[in-house]
Structures are given as C-alpha cells and as structure tokens.
Amino acid sequence: MAFKPDLDDGVYLRESVQIAAKILVVGHFAVGKTTFIGTMSEIPPLRTEEVMTRAGEGIDDLKGTTGKTTTTVAMDFGRLTLSEELVLYLFGTPGQQRFVQVWEDMSRGALGALVLVDPERLDESFPVMDLVEHYGIPYTIAVNRFGDRPDHADEEIREALDLLPETPLVSCDARDQRSSANALITLVRYLQSRLT
C-alpha cells in the first residue's frame, strides 16, 4: 500500500498552491526571530537552537536580553499559506556575525526580508541591514516591541536607522500572531508595490 499524505493535517501543501515565496526573517542576536517564525508558522517550525555555553560568553553579548539560554546555530524555518495559490516559506537567519556565511546561501532566491529590530539596541541592526542591502534584498523594518520596554516614536527609529523614505517601518510583538502577521503583510505589500 502506497503512502498517501493527509492534506487536511496541515503539514502537506495543497495541490492548488502555484506560487511559493521565500522570505527571510533577519535581525541581530536575540531580537526575536525564532519566536516570530514560531508564532507565524502553520507547521511545527524547524529550529536549530542550541544551549549557549561558557565558550560563547565572550562572543555573544547578552546585554539587553533577559533569560536567553539558547541560540540559533543554522536557521529557523516555517511556512505560512496566504491563499489557495500562495505560500510563504519563512527562513530565519542566525544573528551573530560568525554565522554570516549562512547568509549567502539563505539569501539566494529570497523575495524579501523582514528585518526585526529591538528599539533599545538599534546600533546592532546596522550590520544586518548592511547584509540585506549587500545581497540586494528588498526589506521592511519590524520593530519588535517588547512589552516591558519604553516606547519610541516611529520617526525617531526611522531617523536613528537612517531609513530611506520608501522603506516600510512597522511595529510588532513577535509573540503575537496578529501583529506579526501585520508585519508580514506590510512586507508583502511593499514587495508587490515594487513589481508594479
């Protein structure tokens, strides 16, 4: 008897899907990429999280993070079906500089990138934005608003990051599906506007 996947279990793609788009979810170390993909993925996300060890103490700066004990060492992966015909594949990149080589492979074929930033650690976003721009990937900035942090006006963040006027900026909470979905919608609309 041949194996026949159950399409109703949500793991397998429906035959009606005609377009698959690769989206990168990027950002500096400990900004919420793994959480974002876990929040948005309709399938159990693939995670390559490893426990942080003492060997990484001098490399991974935990300043501004609370309770972080693991880190992504390769990638995160999730899937989100937007319609009967369109599916997004979400690829989360590691945030540390030592994993920059992974970017070259992951950036191939990417339609766009959602750049997560922490408003309290904006300076850590510049190397990530430089990489996205180096690979020519259109992007949207998503300010991951952690509930216990002070709020900053979008204009202040836009100025601090030296964003072009056409670069979308949206707020989200990577733990919240609705606000995370809004960030992805903002990116998809921006990518569509570039095609017209």
Side-chain angles (χ1 to χ4, degrees), residues 8-62:
D8 291 330
D9 68 5
V11 175
Y12 296 95
L13 281 178
R14 300 208 175 273
E15 292 179 13
S16 60
V17 172
Q18 298 173 13
I19 300 170
K22 180 179 184 180
I23 300 293
L24 298 182
V25 178
V26 301
H28 56 75
F29 173 66
V31 74
K33 301 174 298 290
T34 299
T35 301
F36 184 94
I37 289 177
T39 297
M40 291 309 302
S41 183
E42 66 195 15
I43 60 173
L46 168 69
R47 293 185 171 134
T48 58
E49 291 274 299
E50 292 295 332
V51 174
M52 297 173 67
T53 64
R54 296 192 75 180
E57 282 181 4
I59 301 169
D60 297 328
D61 184 5
L62 295 175

Side-chain angles (χ1 to χ4, degrees), residues 100-114:
V100 166
Q101 185 60 42
V102 174
W103 276 75
E104 185 172 344
D105 294 330
M106 291 184 69
S107 67
R108 289 190 185 112
L111 189 61
L114 188 67

Side-chain angles (χ1 to χ4, degrees), residues 70-149:
T70 62
T71 187
T72 301
V73 296
M75 68 174 207
D76 296 310
F77 173 79
R79 186 186 78 203
L80 180 62
T81 301
L82 295 184
S83 71
E84 288 290 319
E85 298 84 25
L86 175 62
V87 67
L88 296 182
Y89 289 116
L90 306 174
F91 288 82
T93 61
Q96 299 96 315
Q97 284 295 106
R98 67 181 182 273
F99 295 115
V100 166
Q101 185 60 42
V102 174
W103 276 75
E104 185 172 344
D105 294 330
M106 291 184 69
S107 67
R108 289 190 185 112
L111 189 61
L114 188 67
V115 180
L116 288 179
V117 301
D118 179 343
E120 295 301 308
R121 300 184 294 150
L122 291 178
D123 57 321
E124 295 179 39
S125 301
F126 290 109
V128 175
M129 292 168 58
D130 289 344
L131 280 170
V132 172
E133 291 173 358
H134 171 77
Y135 289 111
I137 302 170
Y139 63 93
T140 290
I141 299 291
V143 181
N144 192 8
R145 307 263 186 200
F146 300 90
D148 57 346
R149 305 259 178 102

Side-chain angles (χ1 to χ4, degrees), residues 148-167:
D148 57 346
R149 305 259 178 102
D151 205 10
H152 298 281
D154 286 352
E155 298 78 28
E156 292 175 11
I157 292 173
R158 182 175 285 284
E159 184 177 340
L161 292 175
D162 195 26
L163 298 179
L164 294 173
E166 63 270 16
T167 303

